[in-house]
Amino acid sequence: NAGVTQTPKFQVLKTGQSMTLQCAQDMNHNSMYWYRQDPGMGLRLIYYSASEGTTDKGEVPNGYNVSRLNKREFSLRLESAAPSQTSVYFCASSELAGGPSETQYFGPGTRLLVL
Amino acid sequence: LAKTTQPISMDSYEGQEVNITCSHNNIATNDYITWYQQFPSQGPRFIIQGYKTKVTNEVASLFIPADRKSSTLSLPRVSLSDTAVYYCLVGSDSNYQLIWGAGTKLIIKP
């Protein structure tokens, strides 16, 4: 039981390049989330998916797209990376329909550097 | 939309009780208060959650006054392994607002 896994662990991009961050969970959870974490700012929600087939914007969705490929997988895509997207990205999941009342389980994070 | 405020950092010593307070003056009626712990190079991990009054589990206690405008995470008899960043999260399932505090860096000294 690996919990929440993320790939890659670290990535360097040039401005304008695209990439997809992958996330998978093996806990049969319904809800999945993507966050970014910047120094001194805590976590900010980018997108979330309350169930397979649905996605919704969070606090900072601009510049990102997501796909809930199936119940296990939730990917985050940067179509044209910008230096402002340099951050640590965390994927999380929770058991039911999602929301702050549910315990979220986090992956180890992806460190992204955009030059 | 509840904005949370936490101290940036705190120091304490092994064996002491540590209290970290989070202010959330605009907390809504349906908002829960949740605390997470994060070690370097790891994702956050759930510690405790409450709605009102006091909640206790095997690792911590959470005190919430009647007006719910603040909450205090209490860690009894801390050890060096409790050195981490602690986040206060306030939000409601009804509007899916997940507003994280900036975190409190807790350093435990021997």
Side-chain angles (χ1 to χ4, degrees):
Chain A
N1 190 337
V4 179
T5 58
Q6 294 183 235
T7 56
K9 287 185 170 55
F10 181 71
Q11 183 73 45
V12 179
L13 291 178
K14 295 180 179 179
T15 297
Q17 288 185 320
S18 63
M19 79 162 295
T20 300
L21 282 65
Q22 306 286 353
C23 173
Q25 51 90 10
D26 62 2
M27 298 175 281
N28 200 37
H29 284 176
N30 285 318
S31 297
M32 299 185 74
Y33 313 78
W34 275 107
Y35 290 93
R36 61 178 289 173
Q37 184 174 40
D38 302 298
M41 296 189 70
L43 284 85
R44 290 184 291 171
L45 184 65
I46 304 172
Y47 272 93
Y48 64 93
S49 170
S51 63
E52 183 179 353
T54 68
T55 61
D56 286 284
K57 295 179 180 179
E59 184 183 356
V60 288
N62 291 343
Y64 306 95
N65 287 301
V66 291
S67 296
R68 184 74 183 267
L69 305 171
N70 47 56
K71 192 171 186 179
R72 290 186 64 250
E73 298 173 288
F74 189 37
S75 63
L76 178 71
R77 182 160 179 83
L78 287 70
E79 290 291 351
S80 178
S84 61
Q85 293 178 304
T86 292
S87 188
V88 180
Y89 291 85
F90 287 101
C91 177
S93 70
S94 64
E95 184 177 3
L96 301 174
S101 70
E102 293 185 8
T103 298
Q104 295 180 55
Y105 298 83
F106 284 82
T110 294
R111 282 157 178 75
L112 177 65
L113 174 62
V114 182
L115 301 175
Chain B
L1 201 66
K3 179 179 178 180
T4 62
T5 304
Q6 305 174 234
I8 294 174
S9 64
M10 295 179 65
D11 292 351
S12 189
Y13 293 90
E14 283 190 292
Q16 299 294 306
E17 178 184 78
V18 171
N19 296 311
I20 306 174
T21 297
C22 179
S23 297
H24 27 80
N25 291 322
N26 298 321
I27 191 168
T29 303
N30 296 328
D31 284 346
Y32 287 85
I33 302 158
T34 312
W35 285 80
Y36 285 80
Q37 176 192 55
Q38 186 178 27
F39 297 112
S41 300
Q42 295 185 23
R45 183 178 69 173
F46 174 88
I47 302 174
I48 197 166
Q49 183 183 75
Y51 182 75
K52 60 181 179 181
T53 64
K54 176 183 174 182
V55 179
T56 298
N57 62 22
E58 62 276 9
V59 298
S61 295
L62 179 60
F63 298 92
I64 305 170
D67 66 8
R68 305 204 322 127
K69 293 186 176 182
S70 66
S71 58
T72 299
L73 172 71
S74 181
L75 304 172
R77 297 179 299 282
V78 294
S79 64
L80 296 176
S81 63
D82 292 314
T83 293
V85 179
Y86 292 82
Y87 289 98
C88 166
L89 169 63
V90 174
S92 163
D93 291 354
S94 61
N95 60 17
Y96 229 102
Q97 294 294 330
L98 288 161
I99 307 298
W100 292 70
T104 298
K105 185 173 184 178
L106 176 65
I107 298 174
I108 305 302
K109 302 174 183 179

